[in-house]
Amino acid sequence: FAFSSASYAEIKYGVSGALTFIDATGSETEGGEKNNGDADNIVVIPSVFAEYVYSDTISIGLDYIPLKADVSDKAKKRSDTEKSVTGTATTTSTSRTQSAQAELENHITLYANYYLGNGGYVKGGVVHVTLDTDESLDTGAKYGSTDIMGLVVGFGVESGNWRTEVAYTDYEDISLSSSVARAGVTTNNKIDANLDTLALRVSYAF
């Protein structure tokens, strides 16, 4: 950092463990058919951080989560029945099983803590994370991965080297698309989703 304070400037390093509730809602549009769904998970997520303490009221830090986290506690499955279009009076029905899961990885948070006195502080920051989709769709659709941003706000209490905080992260809306060609016909598929997390975090700073 370009600025410093002779009285307070120092670098801290630490580790955290966060009991995190992940909540996702969204929809998938396949051709003209739209299906809505939701997914959630509760998971303990570790992280490491480095923090620049600028003064007795402000610190700026970078938090990194080295592991992946599943958006859902299980793969979501759905069975679809589809009638073929043959150009004749005869039609046939096909049942397809759609299974989908998603993971968050390379989660990085740039944050600032503002201390209110008596160990209490408020947190604000920006988040960058990669969302990886892991689907097994009989339609053949593949959605891949995307990078998304988010905003985090929280409140915590610091006592010595220990911190306890509650933080809410609101990620930007997710939009993924895929094209599938079957029997000479291309179908454009799309996923629109919203993702949020609420975490209870305990940290230790060295």
Side-chain angles (χ1 to χ4, degrees):
F1 294 96
F3 51 82
S4 65
S5 171
S7 299
Y8 294 100
E10 65 173 314
I11 299 292
K12 289 185 177 181
Y13 303 93
V15 294
S16 300
L19 180 64
T20 305
F21 174 68
I22 304 173
D23 181 56
T25 59
S27 64
E28 181 185 29
T29 304
E30 298 177 290
E33 179 186 355
K34 185 175 182 179
N35 291 282
N36 297 314
D38 57 76
D40 58 71
N41 198 8
I42 297 178
V43 60
V44 176
I45 301 177
S47 67
V48 294
F49 64 89
E51 192 171 289
Y52 179 84
V53 182
Y54 176 66
S55 69
D56 61 343
T57 57
I58 298 175
S59 62
I60 300 172
L62 195 66
D63 182 272
Y64 174 68
I65 297 175
L67 303 179
K68 296 181 180 181
D70 290 333
V71 172
S72 175
D73 57 357
K74 57 184 176 297
K76 293 292 183 179
K77 293 186 177 181
R78 187 182 81 244
S79 294
D80 296 336
T81 300
E82 183 177 284
K83 289 186 176 181
S84 66
V85 179
T86 62
T88 67
T90 303
T91 60
T92 59
S93 296
T94 301
S95 179
R96 293 186 169 89
T97 300
Q98 316 280 53
S99 177
Q101 176 62 286
E103 291 180 328
L104 300 174
E105 67 172 344
N106 296 325
H107 193 287
I108 301 173
T109 304
L110 176 64
Y111 66 88
N113 291 339
Y114 182 81
Y115 289 87
L116 306 172
N118 297 321
Y121 64 89
V122 292
K123 166 178 280 189
V126 293
V127 175
H128 177 275
V129 66
T130 299
L131 177 72
D132 292 324
T133 63
D134 182 17
E135 61 273 335
S136 177
L137 308 178
D138 283 354
T139 58
K142 293 291 183 182
Y143 290 101
S145 304
T146 187
D147 293 331
I148 56 177
M149 302 294 293
L151 296 176
V152 59
V153 293
F155 173 79
V157 176
E158 181 175 306
S159 178
N161 292 345
W162 290 96
R163 298 176 187 172
T164 303
E165 69 179 41
V166 175
Y168 170 76
T169 305
D170 181 24
Y171 298 90
E172 67 178 322
D173 292 342
I174 302 162
S175 183
L176 297 171
S177 59
S178 174
S179 296
V180 179
R182 289 182 294 162
V185 178
T186 299
T187 302
N188 295 315
N189 304 325
K190 185 179 181 182
I191 289 178
D192 294 299
N194 179 266
L195 180 67
D196 305 287
T197 64
L198 181 64
L200 174 62
R201 184 189 312 272
V202 177
S203 305
Y204 184 85
F206 300 99

